Amino acid sequence: MCPPPTQNGTNGTNGHAKPRAAAAAPYQTVQDFLSNTNNFKIIESTLREGEQFANAYFDTATKIKIATALSDFGVEYIELTSPAASPQSMEDLKAICGLGLKAKILTHVRCNMEDARLAIECGVDGVDVVIGTSSFLREHSHGKDMAYIQKSAIEVINYIKSKGIEVRFSSEDSFRSDLVDLLSLYKAVDAIGVNRVGVADTVGCATPRQVFDLVRTLRGVVSCDIETHFHNDTGCAIANAHAALEAGATHIDTSVLGIGERNGITPLGGLLARMIVGSHDYVTSRYKLAKLKEIEDMVAEAVEINVPFNNPITGFCAFTHKAGIHAKAILNEPSTYEIINPADFGMSRYIHFASRLTGWNAIKSRVEQLGLTMTDDQVKTLTSKIKQMADIRPLAIDDTDSIIRSFHLDLQA
Ligand SMILES: [Zn+2]
């Protein structure tokens, strides 16, 4: 019974009356000198991790459209599928590298010389190298021991660096890897000048506290940047990304709507919803937030899904206020029940008035929107009529508007 989500629409009231700074203090996250919640970069992986989503099939034109939109939105990096995956993947990577986008173009390859050579041939700005380090992956996937992993990592990183290209080295399934193995591997690649090391919760098992502990420990071991990658199997992907930044991570992997392997990773929109609350100026200065809905709709259409009702920011009811007491406060001062100003994302709030939970302030606001005039006492009588009707059956907006209009006609008669 809510209207569809609107962008730059006219529902509800205007933006938050007071500047956010006045209300910002309670939202500040715990900060120390290693925290990067006010200074992070996004590695947007819709065209790599997102391609592993069950429904995803991106043709060249769609990849170009998505990459262009993401670059325009302001993400710092766009990661694409390995050119070793298929001949078309290689052609698409070359095509996107040739667009001259503002975002840096990365590809994600296995830790071997052949894959690294292919990536560089395509003209990428950076290569993301990955290898499994957990005992599960060492036994059941590639079968290599840690000494072999370290030797090949060093060879591949040195080669990529010799070509003047940015390189990241990531373990896979980091949270189920042996901590000592992991740290000595990261230390070795940091020593030869890798640009970033990556921590990946490939199976989605980590909790925010585990993430904080691992990233904070790693921060004390390496001097390079730290990238993090979180799967959402237990719904912790956004919280884990936030914990990683608090601990000193510098880069967060995202995908639009969180699409990826299984149920995906940290969603771009959800991460920015989380970050804007404590780092408003940083987020609004770097990203064209009003483009978020358009990008999400573009990707949702490409992979044939609907945007979930409870999606942060763009879910159809993300800024809908229903309970009477909420509506009253929201009409007076939106910050009362909103920590995010919808206007920052080019969205608008909606005061739900067509229900038995409504209050007379919400009805009064609707009466005014309809261009009608009533006294407060008259609005209160009208409100009780609407509540009586809403107790009998669900009310649509049109139903409620006709109750309001006929009440107004009776008043005039
Ligand atoms: Zn992943």
Side-chain angles (χ1 to χ4, degrees):
M1 287 199 293
C2 291
T6 55
Q7 224 174 347
N8 301 316
T10 52
N11 268 327
T13 54
N14 295 322
H16 289 213
K18 296 183 188 105
R20 305 293 299 166
Y27 309 140
Q28 285 304 318
T29 47
V30 180
Q31 292 272 357
D32 60 29
F33 71 103
L34 291 176
S35 169
N36 280 320
T37 55
N38 277 307
N39 180 30
F40 58 90
K41 295 191 170 70
I42 292 174
I43 295 179
E44 227 303 325
S45 191
T46 301
L47 297 177
R48 194 283 290 176
E49 177 73 50
E51 225 188 351
Q52 296 171 227
F53 174 56
N55 267 14
Y57 174 81
F58 299 128
D59 59 22
T60 310
T62 306
K63 283 188 190 178
I64 289 175
K65 224 169 87 178
I66 292 172
T68 306
L70 286 169
S71 176
D72 184 44
F73 181 79
V75 301
E76 290 81 2
Y77 294 86
I78 294 171
E79 186 181 66
L80 277 94
T81 296
S82 168
S86 75
Q88 191 58 48
S89 299
M90 180 154 176
E91 290 314 307
D92 291 347
L93 179 58
K94 284 182 184 167
I96 287 172
C97 287
L99 295 175
L101 298 177
K102 198 165 153 251
K104 288 187 182 178
I105 305 301
L106 306 171
T107 188
H108 184 264
V109 303
R110 294 168 297 190
C111 187
N112 68 55
M113 293 296 280
E114 192 43 41
D115 282 15
R117 263 188 217 107
L118 271 184
I120 291 168
E121 234 176 81
C122 293
V124 292
D125 299 298
V127 183
D128 287 348
V129 176
V130 66
I131 191 159
T133 45
S134 68
S135 56
F136 295 92
L137 288 164
R138 278 155 51 199
E139 277 166 38
H140 304 297
S141 182
H142 54 66
K144 308 285 199 289
D145 64 19
M146 287 308 289
Y148 179 90
I149 290 172
Q150 183 158 324
K151 186 173 156 288
S152 51
I154 288 174
E155 185 188 20
V156 170
I157 291 164
N158 278 331
Y159 169 69
I160 297 169
K161 275 174 59 75
S162 76
K163 301 291 174 184
I165 286 171
E166 201 172 307
V167 57
R168 179 216 69 188
F169 175 81
S170 182
S171 62
E172 197 187 351
D173 200 1
S174 315
F175 289 85
R176 295 191 304 174
S177 300
D178 179 84
L179 183 63
V180 175
D181 283 353
L182 207 56
L183 294 178
S184 53
L185 182 57
Y186 286 137
K187 201 172 173 172
V189 296
D190 182 46
I192 59 161
V194 79
N195 297 89
R196 292 188 303 284
V197 288
V199 169
D201 183 19
T202 309
V203 294
C205 65
T207 66
R209 185 167 176 163
Q210 288 171 326
V211 169
F212 187 92
D213 286 349
L214 178 59
V215 174
R216 185 49 64 98
T217 304
L218 180 58
R219 185 66 289 172
V221 171
V222 298
S223 57
C224 61
D225 285 341
I226 299 174
E227 173 182 340
T228 53
H229 181 92
F230 298 106
H231 275 263
N232 205 30
D233 299 74
T234 67
C236 287
I238 297 171
N240 283 344
H242 188 262
L245 291 173
E246 285 181 318
T250 53
H251 294 64
I252 301 290
D253 291 6
T254 68
S255 68
V256 176
L257 295 168
I259 59 168
E261 193 75 44
R262 304 187 307 282
N263 75 337
I265 62 166
T266 307
L268 175 66
L271 177 70
L272 291 174
R274 176 62 267 169
M275 300 318 298
I276 198 172
V277 174
S279 308
H280 182 268
D281 294 350
Y282 183 78
V283 170
T284 54
S285 68
R286 287 188 86 86
Y287 307 108
K288 287 189 194 161
L289 302 177
K291 299 259 182 197
L292 178 66
K293 182 166 170 16
E294 196 182 311
I295 293 173
E296 288 187 346
D297 288 346
M298 180 194 295
V299 171
E301 192 187 322
V303 299
E304 299 178 338
I305 56 168
N306 294 314
V307 173
F309 76 93
N310 57 352
N311 202 44
I313 311 295
T314 58
F316 87 98
C317 52
F319 296 106
T320 293
H321 303 274
K322 183 169 173 184
I325 49 170
H326 285 231
K328 179 186 177 184
I330 279 283
L331 287 164
N332 282 331
E333 169 51 56
S335 305
T336 316
Y337 282 105
E338 273 176 359
I339 55 155
I340 296 169
N341 184 352
D344 282 337
F345 291 85
M347 306 292 292
S348 53
R349 77 180 54 84
Y350 175 70
I351 308 294
H352 192 297
F353 61 94
S355 86
R356 61 180 166 200
L357 304 185
T358 197
W360 74 271
N361 289 279
I363 299 300
K364 185 181 170 187
S365 155
R366 185 59 178 175
V367 166
E368 286 164 0
Q369 279 174 1
L370 295 174
L372 308 175
T373 316
M374 290 179 206
T375 65
D376 285 357
D377 283 342
Q378 288 167 340
V379 173
K380 285 174 187 169
T381 311
L382 167 61
T383 304
S384 52
K385 278 183 185 296
I386 292 169
K387 282 171 172 283
Q388 276 166 23
M389 192 59 85
D391 258 346
I392 297 165
R393 61 180 176 84
L395 286 186
I397 290 169
D398 287 354
D399 293 339
T400 316
D401 282 350
S402 42
I403 299 172
I404 295 173
R405 286 181 196 283
S406 68
F407 181 83
H408 186 254
L409 272 180
D410 289 349
L411 285 179
Q412 288 179 318

